[in-house]
Amino acid sequence: MMRRDLTVLVVLAGVALALPFVASEFVVSLALTCLMYAALASSWSTFCGSTRYLSLATSAFFGIGAYTSALTLGALPWLAAIGLGAAIAAGVAVVMGAAVLHLRGTYFAVLTFGMTELIRHSIAYFEKQVTGTVGRVLTVVPERDTVYLTMLGLAVAAVLAALLVRQSRFGLAMAGIGADEQRAETLGVDTRLVKIGGFALTAAFAGAVGATMSVRWTYIDPATVFNPFIGFQTVLIALIGGAATLWGPLLAAVVFSLLAETLRLQMPQVYMMSLGLLLIFSVLYLPGGLASIRWRRR
């Protein structure tokens, strides 16, 4: 099973790697969006799909990574800026997780969303009151292929991390927490440490993705990079694709990116209606996501 998944991953990565050399600018831009949400949804599912903790903090970690990249890219190499964004996002996740991961369900979801808004407004207030300017102008921007290849590497790393975690004791511990947290504790699992570690892993990928994607804009501000829609769409992609599966989030990321490009600019209301209908259909008829269709056929 693992060998087959690795083979599929290598083939898909090879196809994506060839796109910048054979496809148009539009197709490459669309593929970049697909890779972004594939990395976000796969990393989100690694923790939330196993533990069944519904985190709405993805946009916070994405924004932290984006701001880190915007502030340090002129002084640090490209990969170092991305790594720093991932590290800071993971550090914030450790602090946030220590504060809220003792809660579950609606309480955890609401608190993570509230902390995301707190971070966004705190940065906006700091910029207005201390620096006197809101947002950052990016003067150092890597070439298109550099950004694309970096995002491809992050997407592959997110899927590979999900695959390896599922095969590890750490992944088994998170699955045990999702099945019955109290029973996992009685079996000797340090649930607090496992949850914080999984939450930080998700945040690190989101921070790295944010640091990479920040250069797509010549100007960023809190409203842009801490946009709650980024977090909500990541959750929708993971749930509709199948948060407990490996390939479901990747499949849904492609579908959502195509829908967004087709409908969002010309018919934004239809796009939002489509998202709602897909979510309702998935919850009612495919609770395991799109990936469960294959297993039902079997």
Side-chain angles (χ1 to χ4, degrees), residues 133-244:
T133 59
V134 178
R136 291 289 184 274
V137 177
L138 279 72
T139 58
V140 180
V141 179
E143 296 181 356
R144 183 205 68 173
D145 290 351
T146 300
V147 178
Y148 179 85
L149 293 176
T150 303
M151 186 54 60
L152 174 59
L154 289 174
V156 171
V159 176
L160 183 60
L163 177 61
L164 294 177
V165 166
R166 293 170 193 273
Q167 304 293 327
S168 67
R169 293 173 61 89
F170 179 61
L172 183 62
M174 288 199 294
I177 291 172
D180 190 333
E181 187 167 346
Q182 290 184 346
R183 185 178 181 182
E185 288 181 350
T186 61
L187 293 175
V189 177
D190 189 342
T191 57
R192 178 181 173 84
L193 186 61
V194 169
K195 289 186 295 185
I196 292 176
F199 195 48
L201 176 64
T202 297
F205 275 104
V209 171
T212 304
M213 295 299 290
S214 66
V215 298
R216 293 193 73 184
W217 303 285
T218 56
Y219 171 83
I220 66 169
D221 60 357
T224 301
V225 295
F226 289 95
N227 188 351
F229 183 76
I230 296 174
F232 287 135
Q233 182 150 305
T234 299
V235 175
L236 286 175
I237 288 173
L239 292 180
I240 292 175

Side-chain angles (χ1 to χ4, degrees), residues 1-8 160 163-165 167 246:
M1 180 71 71
M2 185 173 181
R3 180 177 297 178
R4 185 194 64 187
D5 290 332
L6 287 174
T7 302
V8 173
L160 183 60
L163 177 61
L164 294 177
V165 166
Q167 304 293 327
L246 179 65

Side-chain angles (χ1 to χ4, degrees), residues 94-168:
V94 170
V95 176
M96 185 186 297
V100 303
L101 275 171
H102 62 283
L103 302 172
R104 288 197 69 123
T106 306
Y107 300 102
F108 176 75
V110 170
L111 273 178
T112 53
F113 178 73
M115 287 189 169
T116 300
E117 290 297 292
L118 175 63
I119 293 172
R120 179 168 71 92
H121 289 291
S122 297
I123 292 179
Y125 177 82
F126 177 83
E127 289 189 325
K128 289 179 181 178
Q129 301 298 324
V130 178
T131 65
T133 59
V134 178
R136 291 289 184 274
V137 177
L138 279 72
T139 58
V140 180
V141 179
E143 296 181 356
R144 183 205 68 173
D145 290 351
T146 300
V147 178
Y148 179 85
L149 293 176
T150 303
M151 186 54 60
L152 174 59
L154 289 174
V156 171
V159 176
L160 183 60
L163 177 61
L164 294 177
V165 166
R166 293 170 193 273
Q167 304 293 327
S168 67

Side-chain angles (χ1 to χ4, degrees), residues 45 70 188 238 255 281:
S45 298
V255 174
F281 178 81

